[in-house]
Amino acid sequence: MSADTTSPERGQSFAPGATIGILGGGQLGRMTALAAARLGFRTHVFCPDHDSPAAQVTAVSTVAAYDDEEALAAFADDVDVVTFEFENIPDTTAEFLAAHKPTRPKPHILHIAQQRLREKDFLASIGVPVTRYQAVADVAALHGAVAAMGRPCILKSAQFGYDGKGQVRIAGDTDLREAWRRMGGTLGILEAEVDFALEASVIIARGIDGETALYPPVENRHRNHILDETIAPATLAPSTVASAEGIARQIAQELGLVGLLAVELFITRKGDVLVNELAPRPHNSGHWTVDACVTSQFEQFVRAVCGLPLGSTAPHSAAVMKNLIGDDVDRWRDVLADPGAKLHLYGKAEARPGRKMGHVTRLKPIS
Ligand code: AMP
């Protein structure tokens, strides 16, 4: 990586009153726009869908395709700084915007994080521990790779996979042709299955001057491959916390990040830390920070993107965050009746199975 991309951006800072352009209209954009408003910033959301969760809470929004250059140019004209609430934006879109306005994080970071092979190659190249993996381009390659890797292993589509989509576990009796078809039959990555003790994540912010701030590692429990609960902070040995934090700092530094980065981790039974995935934006496992920390991940994201000093990441409470997925959202009345529960809903009209509709945070004193 060149010095240019690893050195912190010697960029401008933006004061309250400025307009932050957000690509993407989901709940992460919504909560970012709310945090921005709290600090006196304006937001302009760019999203292909009508009535997106983020557009509902911002005065200005554009509904257009990500490759609509006319709409992108008008958007760039209207905003002072550009950011993203998800990483699957076409490279050309991010580069187009970066040519017009300060864009944080920089497009090369999205490029790395939006494709699993590039991401793992990057992590391996900087010496960050990851599970064994191999690229697979077709069924014949899959046969060879599974023989070399051993079963069980996990086949994932290299691109556009999230929440377990495009992901197949290859057990002792799994038919490989069928696994290839279920994965989507596109370029894939085969990973050795990690026998983890728990899954965790660390969220780090990095400012324009290279200053970093980390939230404590949290434990993430999944149901049907979708995050179900985050327990904050995670119960981990101090040495495991230190290595998780060291890894997050190293990745943010090597990327030349300005913004927020979530690092998803496997903690093995021996306490080793392996990186599973990166997300260069606010993350579902950081929602607890809204109710339990001095500075939420969304405010921190706004501060970093605007070149402002980072806030304190100190928790004032421990927390359990539970996602409301699909029909879970029908329980909103019961949640409101629970004096210990803090309800967050995302304004999505239709509760499809697997769709994140909201979350509930419950606080506890820090033990
Ligand atoms: P991902 O989309 O890569 O975050 O994977 C979704 C979930 O699948 C993870 O949170 C893990 O629970 C599981 N998973 C993914 N990759 C592996 C692996 N190599 N070993 C064990 N479990 C995995």
Side-chain angles (χ1 to χ4, degrees):
M1 204 147 277
S2 73
D4 178 41
T5 54
T6 56
S7 66
E9 189 184 326
R10 296 264 165 260
Q12 287 164 271
S13 59
F14 300 92
T19 302
I20 305 166
I22 303 173
L23 271 273
Q27 62 269 18
L28 302 176
R30 177 185 179 96
M31 291 184 271
T32 301
L34 292 171
R38 216 168 281 121
L39 288 182
F41 287 93
R42 294 165 188 276
T43 48
H44 181 158
V45 169
F46 190 113
C47 171
D49 308 318
H50 283 277
D51 193 37
S52 66
Q56 289 171 13
V57 302
T58 185
V60 190
S61 60
T62 298
V63 178
Y66 288 127
D67 59 359
D68 180 340
E69 289 207 351
E70 213 175 300
L72 288 171
F75 170 76
D77 263 359
D78 185 57
V79 306
D80 296 296
V81 58
V82 175
T83 194
F84 311 90
E85 64 112 45
F86 82 131
E87 55 274 21
N88 283 323
I89 302 277
D91 285 346
T92 45
T93 302
E95 277 152 20
F96 180 90
L97 292 169
H100 288 77
K101 286 287 159 76
T103 296
R104 299 169 180 167
K106 286 190 177 165
H108 79 276
I109 300 179
L110 300 189
H111 184 71
I112 290 171
Q114 67 189 205
Q115 212 255 23
R116 293 182 192 276
L117 278 165
R118 273 203 292 270
E119 189 171 86
K120 287 257 168 25
D121 286 347
F122 161 73
L123 292 167
S125 77
I126 62 167
V128 165
V130 292
T131 190
R132 283 183 297 127
Y133 70 97
Q134 196 175 327
V136 282
D138 53 36
V139 184
L142 180 62
H143 275 93
V146 170
M149 184 94 54
R151 301 183 187 219
C153 51
I154 304 207
L155 177 65
K156 302 176 180 180
S157 60
Q159 197 122 13
F160 299 131
Y162 66 96
D163 287 346
K165 292 193 174 67
Q167 191 166 311
V168 184
R169 180 172 190 267
I170 297 179
D173 57 354
T174 305
D175 177 72
L176 296 188
R177 186 169 289 280
E178 174 64 9
W180 179 256
R181 192 192 58 74
R182 277 172 43 214
M183 178 274 280
T186 56
L187 179 64
I189 177 171
L190 186 72
E191 295 183 5
E193 184 173 74
V194 180
D195 180 23
F196 54 78
L198 59 91
E199 292 188 76
S201 56
V202 179
I203 295 177
I204 182 168
R206 187 163 181 273
I208 52 172
D209 55 0
E211 173 199 9
T212 56
L214 289 99
Y215 292 94
V218 296
E219 178 179 346
N220 297 318
R221 296 187 184 162
H222 294 78
R223 205 167 26 126
N224 303 326
H225 295 282
I226 303 176
L227 181 65
D228 179 36
E229 258 185 11
T230 293
I231 292 127
T235 304
L236 296 171
S239 58
T240 308
V241 172
S243 66
E245 292 183 346
I247 285 171
R249 275 202 193 86
Q250 184 193 355
I251 297 169
Q253 162 81 25
E254 296 275 357
L255 286 172
L257 176 79
V258 175
L260 214 60
L261 177 76
V263 183
E264 293 182 27
L265 305 163
F266 295 125
I267 314 295
T268 68
R269 293 179 199 285
K270 285 190 297 179
D272 292 337
V273 178
L274 301 178
V275 173
N276 176 31
E277 267 200 309
L278 305 178
R281 51 165 170 79
H283 191 257
N284 195 168
S285 69
H287 290 359
W288 68 281
T289 62
V290 173
D291 298 308
C293 292
V294 175
T295 313
S296 75
Q297 66 162 346
F298 299 103
E299 177 179 333
Q300 195 76 305
F301 183 46
V302 168
R303 288 175 180 238
V305 163
C306 291
L308 305 180
L310 301 179
S312 163
T313 53
H316 51 73
S317 304
V320 175
M321 188 285 313
K322 181 153 182 69
N323 272 334
L324 298 175
I325 295 170
D327 291 347
D328 293 350
V329 72
D330 296 343
R331 299 200 323 255
W332 62 267
R333 238 174 234 289
D334 298 340
V335 178
L336 283 181
D338 175 351
K342 186 84 188 158
L343 178 67
H344 300 254
L345 296 179
Y346 305 150
K348 296 182 185 177
E350 206 192 330
R352 291 194 291 271
R355 195 171 195 211
K356 290 175 181 168
M357 303 299 291
H359 69 269
V360 184
T361 309
R362 291 185 171 81
L363 303 179
K364 294 186 296 190
I366 294 177
S367 52

